[in-house]
Structure formats: structure tokens, C-alpha cells
Amino acid sequence: MYPGGSVKKDSLYIAILAGMLTATAYASTPGVDEETWPELSLGDLMKVGVESASRKSQAVSNTAAAVFVISASDIKRSGALTIPEVLHLAPGVEVARLGNNKFAVSIRGFNGRMANKLLVLVDGRSIYSSLYGGVIWEAENLPLEEINRIEVIRGSAGLAWGSNAVNGVINIITKRAQDTAGWLVDTHAGTETGKAGLMLRYGIKDEDGAAFRVTVNEQRRDGGKEANGKEAQDYWNDTSLTFRYDRPDGVDTRWFFSGRVFDSHSDETWMIPTFDPAAMYDATQYGATRRVPFVSRRNGGDLLGRFEQTTDGGGEVRVQTYFEKFQGDVPGASDNHTTFDVDAQHRFPLGESHDIVWGGNWRQTEHKNHMQPGGFLTASRPDTTVNLTSLFAQDELTLVPRTFSVQAGVRVERQTFGGTSPQPSVRALWTPSEQHSFWLSWSKAVRSPSVVQRTMGAYAVAIPGAPAVLVYAAPPEQSGFGNEKVRTLELGHRAQWTPTLFSDLSAYSSKYEGVFGILSQSTALNTVIAPVGFGGDAACTAALINFGLNPAAPGVCVTHLYGNALPVRTRGVELSTEWNPLPVWRLQLNASRMWVDAGNNTRYEANTLLYSSSPKYQGSLRSSYNLSTDSQFDLWLRRIGGLAHASDYGGPSAMTPVAARTELDLRFAEQVNESLELSLTLQNLLSKSEIQFHPDYMPTQPVVPQRTIYLKALWHDR
């Protein structure tokens, strides 16, 4: 049970689930039209419009980018309970669990709890944190039944979406309110990550086409285990209320409003440096650190509004704005911030050959950070305002109708910490036949520094000895840390080899300049060890004492200065295939291989570790089989390569490479009647109780994910 919970809440989940199971004894089982089998295939999805690659709707087969679409059916049949778990479905996406409530998600390298080269959107609203430089996944518990599809763009997309869309964009697109009328109850109960969940949704639709829905969602997870087998404080409880309102205004105009409020509590055990032997938790495993159990609280909400109008001649105007409020804390610090964003674009054809899209974006985020004295964090600016302004324009020129086109454009963006940066892109698409298409692209994108990187420092590692050593990571603003830049060359081929066999192959080469890393280090002596006649550093003395060193003991403080340190090059290939050997059987095979070259970096080996946090290879095989008109069986097998990645936190255990792993999930589902579906999901069946990812951004205790089994009931009264 989650701390602070009650037996009454657990009983509610069990009662609802039991009631649905009981109803099966009296329910009729109408047949399902076999023409609806199987769900939309990947080949069919090639004809579905996506909007994230070039900010306009176009078929995947006509998109000059590495695009993958995860449909609502894919999400449902995956058995996943969170968005990061769903993202395993897409080739080239790296997903690792740091615990039962924490994830590391990236594309094409540089993975981490705050992977800063991946831009994530919900209906075009950025959930990338300008404070941390990444996505706080445990605060983004969007109900999966609300999602219409997830568009995954691998590769640079700075022209379309601006800074931080360096290695890819994930756009989570929710269902229209018109498609969610009636009552829906989604509940599950089980073990570990599937302990308990309940979603209630109600939607209405007017005769004029306007529709509204409101959803209440609560998810609860148990804690996992430490590497030594002990129970870990890793619980998670998230409650949210969401709504969406869609209204057509005539034939050509559409309005859409959505909002969310949420409250999320998650247990974490932080490993804070210490020189006090009595306070060390387990020096052989975690080094000179003490356990600090902490309940991280995050709450807030957002409001989004969008206006769309189709203009004469096939053009379109779109204006979107959103407001976000967020509060969160970590040991020794808390952050309150508000964000206001306005985004507008205009698309129009020019002549018979040109399709032009242009627009702009303005965003302001005000951060108010509170630092507690005596902690392991420092801040040079408690309050920071981050402003972003950008303008973009692109033109798609059709040189040979339905055969060859070129798209080119540029976005010019100005950001508080990154200055002004152009982000150009050129893409070409050749479609020699309906069965084959080839594309080629070159683009430049930037990653802007986060508030934490520019204004905060941390005491990272304590090394006992004579003398004792304390390592301090200084705020990179001391080095003038600015934008990271990447230039990416990509090419791809899509083919419908037969009516039942489809493949999508892409290759890329990316060159990064000024990637975040260690620039230099300096050493200071405390007043005890300083030579006679030379005064020691009083600040170093105070810091050592603060972390438990005897005032009479000798000590050294080592300061690492971070900034735009190194060039890095990545290369890789990604393959996605689908085969339907039978009308009721769907097989998907995804594979990716990546090579990383961080150059000769013998001076500071720690820099190399920053680029070894992603697997060299990944592969997955997914089988979706309809046993009958009412029964489904899904098998999902994944193989993920090991990591040379090590952590600054966690002592000897964190310096051990992460082993390659094989994961297996199974799902059985029965459509009891047209309203009720029951399913049984088994996750992580091949678990060997191994760590998937070392804590890299925050000094938390590593947690080993466990096997999970849960029973789910989905009831929809239309």
C-alpha cells in the first residue's frame, strides 16, 4: 500500500473489477464483423496523415523523415500502463526504467532521466522542462485510453518545432471529444507496477457536432527492490482530472480546448555524499553516501486552446495557446514555475507547385526556485525567466507531380540562454511507384541549456581517505555554456513488397558540436592541509564539514567546470517491418544499430561516460493474433543491448556496466460483449533482477524493476 493510502481505496478497485467479472455470467456475446480484423496495419498507416514532421497533414509514405505512428490499437494491445512503456513500440526509441516510477527515454543516443535532445509534445504543447532539460515522465501520466495516436519523428526537427528537437520529436495526440461519447471505466489490479488503477470518463455530443468529455484517473504502483534484494522506497501515486471540448463552427472552422490538473507523489531514496562512517548506508555498494528517503510532490495543471480554419484554395490557419502551472520539489530545493505560450501558423498553396507554411512562436516561463541551506545543491539565481521567440518558413516544391518533391526552410529562434540560432532543413522525396519511396534530408538543430545547467551546482561525490576529497560540479554559466549544435544527414526507403509485407528502413549520420561535458577542473585545500604560510580555502573547509568530515581532518575540494566540451558523432540504421501471414495475425519486427564516436578524450574519462548511456543495438518482435472474433493473444519480445554507462552517484555499484537484457510481455484479452473487455497481462517475464539504468541526473538509489501481472477490465457504454 502506498504510504498515506487506505484499505478503502484498495477495496474500491477490487469491487469494481469483481463487479465486471460477475457481469460476464449474464452478458450476451454478439459477434464482431470479421472485416474489422485485424486493426489498422502499419501498411495502412502509411496512408494515414501525420502532422508532426512538417506541421501539416501528409501521409507517412509522402513524408521525407523517419516517421513511425503508434495507433490507439497498438497502445491497447501492448499491455503498457504508461507512455514510456508504450514508446518501446517505435524503432530507435530507447526506454529504460530507473525504478517503478522513473524512466529514461531518448532517441538516437544520449539517454538519461532528463534526456535533453528529445522534444515531447501533447497535442502540440511542449512538456519539455526548461528547468531540468528533459521530460519529467512521472508527472505526465496521461490516460492511455485518451490517446488517438503517437507520432514519433526520429531525427532533427528544428525547423518544425525549434530548439531541443535535436534527435527527435514525440507528439502525443489525444482523441477528439466526438469520438469518446458515453461512459468508460478502465480499471486494473495486480502486482508491482500494475498494482492498481482506475479511470472514469464521461463524454457527451450535441446535435450541432460539439462534444465534451471529462476524465478522472488514478494510478498506484508498489516499490521495487534494490540491487541487493532489499525492498526499495519506490512507490508512486498519481491523480488527475482532464477535460476536452471540441466545437466545429461551420464547415471550415474548428475550436478545441483541453485542460488538466494533477497531483503526483512518488517515493525516492536519494544518496547524498557523506564523510561520516556512521551515516553511510552500504559503502561496499553505494560508496560514501547516506540514504535520504524523500517523498517528491508534484502538482499543477494546464489549459490549451486551438483555433483552426480552412481558407480558400486549400490553405489553413492555426493558432494555439496554452498556460501551465507546475510545482515540484527535490531534497534541498523546490521549483514553482508558470509558462505561457502562443503558436501560430499559416499554410497556403502558391501556384500549382508550391505549398508554403510559415508562422511563429513565443513562450515565457518564470521559475521561482527555493534552495534550503546546508544541502548538496547551490544556485546562483533563485528566480529565472526563460523567454523564447521564433519565426519559421518552409516551402514544399513539387517538381514532378506524385513523383519528386523538395522541401526547404529555416527557423530563426532566440532563447534566453542560447541566444539567436538559425535551424535550416532541406528534404527531398522520390516516389518512383506506389510501392516504393525514397527520401533524403539534411538539417541543423540546437539544444538550449536548461535553468539547472546554467544556474545550479551540486556536491556530487565524497571520497574518504587521507586527505578526503569532495567533488563539486559548478554551474556551467561560469563557462558561458551555450547551445549545442547538431547537423544530421538522413536517408530512407519505404516499400510495400507484397500486400502483406511492408518495410521502412532509415540511416543517419549526426555531428554534434559543443556537447555538454567537463571542460576543466580545479583543486582547493582546506585550512588543515594547506601548507604553512598559505591560507586554506575557507569555503572548502565549510563544505567538507557540512558533509560530515571532522574539522581537524585534511581535505581537498575538486571543482569540475562543465560547458560546451566535445564534438560527438553518431551513425545508425533503423528498420521496421510488418508482415501479415494470416488475416488475423500481425507480426512486427523492429531493429536498430547505433555507433557513437566521442573522439579521443583521455584527459577526462567522465566525459566519455556521458555518451555511453544508450544501447548499441535494440530489437523487438511483436505478434498480435486474434484467436477468435472475441479473443486476442499478444506476445512482445525485446532485446536491448548493454550500456557502458556509469554514474557519478552510487559508489562501486554504479561503476558496473549495465548488462544486455531480454524482455517478454504477454497479453490475453476477451471481448465479453460489445461493452466489456477483460485482459490479463504479464510483463517483464524474463527479468533477472538487474538494473536497467544507473541514476545519472539525480543522486537517487538504483531500483531493479520486477515482474508484473495484472488483470484489467475495460467497460464502455456508448
Side-chain angles (χ1 to χ4, degrees):
M1 185 186 304
Y2 185 87
S6 66
V7 176
K8 184 180 293 185
K9 274 192 173 182
D10 288 336
S11 301
L12 175 62
Y13 295 110
I14 296 172
I16 293 174
L17 200 56
M20 292 183 174
L21 290 170
T22 304
T24 65
Y26 305 96
S28 61
T29 309
V32 179
D33 185 356
E34 291 189 6
E35 291 182 0
T36 64
W37 289 14
E39 290 82 358
L40 201 62
S41 68
L42 184 59
D44 293 329
L45 283 171
M46 293 304 101
K47 305 178 181 66
V48 173
V50 295
E51 57 189 53
S52 304
S54 55
R55 297 184 70 105
K56 62 180 180 180
S57 182
Q58 56 185 169
V60 173
S61 57
N62 294 331
T63 303
V67 180
F68 189 89
V69 179
I70 302 173
S71 69
S73 174
D74 291 330
I75 295 171
K76 183 178 180 179
R77 298 193 65 157
S78 71
L81 293 173
T82 63
I83 292 173
E85 294 169 289
V86 169
L87 294 175
H88 267 303
L89 291 167
V93 179
E94 304 155 18
V95 181
R97 283 169 53 184
L98 288 80
N100 280 353
N101 57 45
K102 299 178 290 292
F103 296 89
V105 180
S106 185
I107 293 178
R108 295 182 176 178
F110 303 91
N111 202 10
R113 184 171 179 182
M114 292 296 161
N116 53 38
K117 296 172 181 58
L118 171 64
L119 184 65
V120 183
L121 314 167
V122 177
D123 289 322
R125 173 180 65 87
S126 173
I127 60 173
Y128 184 97
S129 170
S130 60
L131 174 67
Y132 295 112
V135 177
I136 308 172
W137 288 106
E138 56 268 37
E140 300 296 339
N141 187 35
L142 185 69
L144 298 186
E145 281 294 325
E146 304 283 88
I147 299 175
N148 178 51
R149 66 185 185 277
I150 300 176
E151 298 179 0
V152 180
I153 314 299
R154 306 185 304 276
S156 297
L159 167 59
W161 299 104
S163 60
N164 309 316
V166 171
N167 286 353
V169 172
I170 295 173
N171 193 3
I172 302 163
I173 299 173
T174 60
K175 296 175 181 177
R176 301 183 313 154
Q178 288 91 338
D179 300 326
T180 55
W183 284 97
L184 184 139
V185 180
D186 182 359
T187 183
H188 68 266
T191 64
E192 302 296 338
T193 58
K195 180 182 181 183
L198 174 63
M199 186 192 87
L200 299 174
R201 185 181 77 199
Y202 179 68
I204 56 176
K205 182 177 179 181
D206 293 336
E207 293 182 358
D208 63 359
F212 175 81
R213 71 162 177 260
V214 61
T215 306
V216 178
N217 183 46
E218 180 168 340
Q219 300 290 326
R220 303 171 68 187
R221 292 192 165 201
D222 269 343
K225 294 184 182 296
E226 299 178 30
N228 55 19
K230 296 180 181 179
E231 294 292 331
Q233 298 298 310
D234 194 36
Y235 304 96
W236 180 52
N237 185 17
D238 182 276
T239 304
S240 65
L241 172 71
T242 61
F243 78 89
R244 173 161 173 160
Y245 175 71
D246 289 86
R247 182 180 181 85
D249 188 1
V251 178
D252 300 325
T253 305
R254 298 164 299 279
W255 298 86
F256 143 45
F257 301 93
S258 67
R260 178 184 72 140
V261 292
F262 74 95
D263 184 73
S264 177
H265 293 185
S266 58
D267 271 13
E268 293 184 305
T269 300
W270 287 60
M271 309 302 290
I272 307 300
T274 184
F275 291 105
D276 182 1
M280 294 179 189
Y281 174 57
D282 185 344
T284 60
Q285 284 284 326
Y286 302 109
T289 59
R290 57 188 175 91
R291 293 175 86 245
V292 181
F294 184 77
V295 178
S296 180
R297 296 175 173 85
R298 301 177 179 91
N299 56 73
D302 56 77
L303 290 171
L304 180 146
R306 181 189 296 173
F307 166 81
E308 296 177 326
Q309 185 175 57
T310 303
T311 60
D312 294 339
E316 183 186 54
V317 173
R318 176 185 297 181
V319 180
Q320 176 172 295
T321 182
Y322 70 82
F323 173 82
E324 178 193 35
K325 175 74 174 178
F326 178 89
Q327 300 180 37
D329 53 14
V330 297
S334 62
D335 169 68
N336 296 335
H337 74 251
T338 57
T339 299
F340 184 72
D341 180 280
V342 179
D343 186 278
Q345 70 176 56
H346 177 209
R347 172 176 172 255
F348 62 94
L350 185 62
E352 297 182 354
S353 302
H354 297 270
D355 190 13
I356 296 174
V357 182
W358 71 282
N361 175 243
W362 177 81
R363 181 184 307 149
Q364 183 179 81
T365 303
E366 295 184 352
H367 293 275
K368 295 186 179 297
N369 301 308
H370 174 69
M371 309 297 296
Q372 298 176 4
F376 76 102
L377 295 171
T378 65
S380 59
R381 301 189 211 173
D383 299 332
T384 306
T385 298
V386 178
N387 290 305
L388 181 150
T389 305
S390 67
L391 292 172
F392 78 95
Q394 68 180 36
D395 179 20
E396 182 172 340
L397 173 62
T398 301
L399 297 174
V400 181
R402 295 183 297 277
T403 302
F404 188 71
S405 64
V406 176
Q407 182 190 91
V410 64
R411 177 183 290 265
V412 179
E413 181 179 275
R414 181 170 181 80
Q415 205 250 27
T416 297
F417 292 137
T420 302
S421 56
Q423 300 181 64
S425 174
V426 179
R427 300 179 183 271
L429 177 70
W430 177 42
T431 309
S433 68
E434 293 184 358
Q435 289 74 37
H436 294 270
S437 63
F438 299 84
W439 59 271
L440 177 69
S441 74
W442 177 90
S443 57
K444 176 186 175 183
V446 301
R447 198 277 286 190
S448 57
S450 66
V451 173
V452 166
Q453 288 181 322
R454 283 296 297 257
T455 68
M456 293 188 186
Y459 292 95
V461 180
I463 306 173
V469 178
L470 181 64
V471 178
Y472 173 68
E477 73 174 343
Q478 296 180 15
S479 68
F481 178 53
N483 283 339
E484 299 176 349
K485 303 178 181 65
V486 61
R487 293 172 175 83
T488 300
L489 180 65
E490 301 175 83
L491 56 89
H493 173 229
R494 299 185 182 97
Q496 190 80 46
W497 300 101
T498 71
T500 61
L501 179 61
F502 176 87
S503 70
D504 189 343
L505 176 67
S506 60
Y508 65 90
S509 176
S510 296
K511 183 179 180 181
Y512 302 80
E513 298 177 5
V515 177
F516 182 80
I518 298 175
L519 291 175
S520 63
Q521 72 175 29
S522 58
T523 303
L525 308 178
N526 71 348
T527 52
V528 176
I529 198 176
V532 177
F534 294 88
D537 189 322
C540 176
T541 300
L544 291 165
I545 294 174
N546 181 57
F547 288 97
L549 186 67
N550 188 313
V556 176
C557 296
V558 176
T559 299
H560 286 171
L561 183 62
Y562 288 81
N564 300 102
L566 294 173
V568 179
R569 184 182 293 275
T570 62
R571 295 170 292 121
V573 292
E574 299 154 342
L575 174 66
S576 177
T577 65
E578 176 169 311
W579 178 41
N580 295 95
L582 296 172
V584 296
W585 190 13
R586 179 184 181 193
L587 290 172
Q588 286 181 306
L589 175 66
N590 295 336
S592 62
R593 179 68 166 90
M594 183 177 66
W595 294 265
V596 180
D597 180 11
N600 296 321
N601 182 34
T602 57
R603 186 176 182 187
Y604 295 116
E605 185 178 353
N607 273 334
T608 304
L609 300 178
L610 293 172
Y611 315 122
S612 56
S613 57
S614 295
K616 293 182 179 179
Y617 67 88
Q618 293 189 109
S620 72
L621 174 64
R622 184 164 167 254
S623 169
S624 299
Y625 190 82
N626 294 329
L627 300 169
S628 69
T629 56
D630 304 313
S631 303
Q632 299 174 343
F633 172 62
D634 296 279
L635 179 148
W636 192 6
L637 182 67
R638 302 182 295 274
R639 177 68 176 177
I640 296 98
L643 309 176
H645 164 66
S647 174
D648 287 336
Y649 316 112
S653 66
M655 301 306 295
T656 305
V658 176
R661 68 185 190 273
T662 303
E663 301 176 341
L664 175 64
D665 297 347
L666 301 177
R667 176 180 176 269
F668 305 86
E670 179 74 19
Q671 189 73 39
V672 180
N673 56 38
E674 63 179 2
S675 298
L676 178 63
E677 180 189 74
L678 300 177
S679 62
L680 177 68
T681 300
L682 301 91
Q683 295 178 323
N684 206 20
L685 291 179
L686 302 181
S687 170
K688 296 182 179 179
S689 296
E690 295 176 333
I691 290 173
Q692 293 187 5
F693 202 90
H694 290 302
D696 65 321
Y697 193 91
M698 303 173 182
T700 56
Q701 188 176 57
V703 176
V704 176
Q706 304 297 302
R707 295 184 182 93
T708 295
I709 178 172
Y710 71 88
L711 180 65
K712 179 177 181 178
L714 181 65
W715 178 78
H716 192 182
D717 178 20
R718 296 174 176 84

